[in-house]
Every structure is written in C-alpha cells, then in structure tokens.
Amino acid sequence: MRDADTPPQDPADDRSHSAALTPQQRADLIRAAAAEVRDRVQAWRDNPNWRNTPANSHRYETTIGVIDALGQLPAPDTKEAVASLADAVRPVIVEWRPSRPGPEQAIYAAVERLRRTIDTST
C-alpha cells in the first residue's frame, strides 16, 4: 500500500540498453523526460490551488528556465556532449523532493524518471 508521500511506481523500463543508443537518442530521452517535468510543473502552476509562495515561485522559475535552456543546447554527437545535457538539467533534480500529495507528488515522480534517464544515459 502506498501512502500520500510515496511517488507512484512506474512500470519496468523496457527501453533499449543505453550502451546501444547513439548520443542523439540518449539526448532525445533526456529531453523527453525533461519535457514531461516541464508539463507537470506548468500544470501545477496553472492549478487553481497554486500558492504563489517564494519557495513555489523559485521552484517553478528554476524548472521552467532550466528546461527551456535545455532546448537551446545543440544536438550532442559525443558521450561528453550528452553529459553536458545531463548537467544542464541537474538543478531541476535538486529542486524536487517528495513532499505533499497532489501535483507536487506527480512532479516528483516525473523528476525521478528524469534522474533515472540521466543516470542511464551518461
């Protein structure tokens, strides 16, 4: 049984082993996971229950800014370039920890998927 502070469990990841992926495919996985985080954070911000506290505003602005900047980085052609994409989104991972249920918990689950994607892509 899952309590309100436990993120939902994801099904087993059936993606190809990361060693078989090109740098571009790895980057695509990172960008897709980051886009999911961005979408969830934007939905949280657009929710009528959004509280415009300094902490919430900081997490929102950091997440949106970092992920938007990720879109401006060039397509990677080396493992090192993929690592630079991963480094670019790490501030998002630091911002989100398990907290309250609801939209923030969904964001945390998406951030955990991003973290796992980075860990397997670099």
Side-chain angles (χ1 to χ4, degrees), residues 64-84:
I64 299 300
V66 164
I67 294 173
D68 285 352
L70 180 68
Q72 303 302 314
L73 296 175
D77 55 0
T78 65
K79 185 176 179 177
E80 292 76 20
V82 173
S84 71

Side-chain angles (χ1 to χ4, degrees), residues 1-41:
M1 184 166 172
R2 183 174 83 75
D3 66 23
D5 292 333
T6 304
Q9 299 301 308
D10 291 323
D13 188 358
D14 62 354
R15 288 181 279 191
S16 300
H17 188 271
S18 65
L21 300 177
T22 67
Q24 183 60 53
Q25 290 168 322
R26 292 175 187 192
D28 290 346
L29 291 173
I30 292 170
R31 290 176 198 260
E36 179 190 4
V37 171
R38 188 188 194 292
D39 291 347
R40 290 192 181 212
V41 168

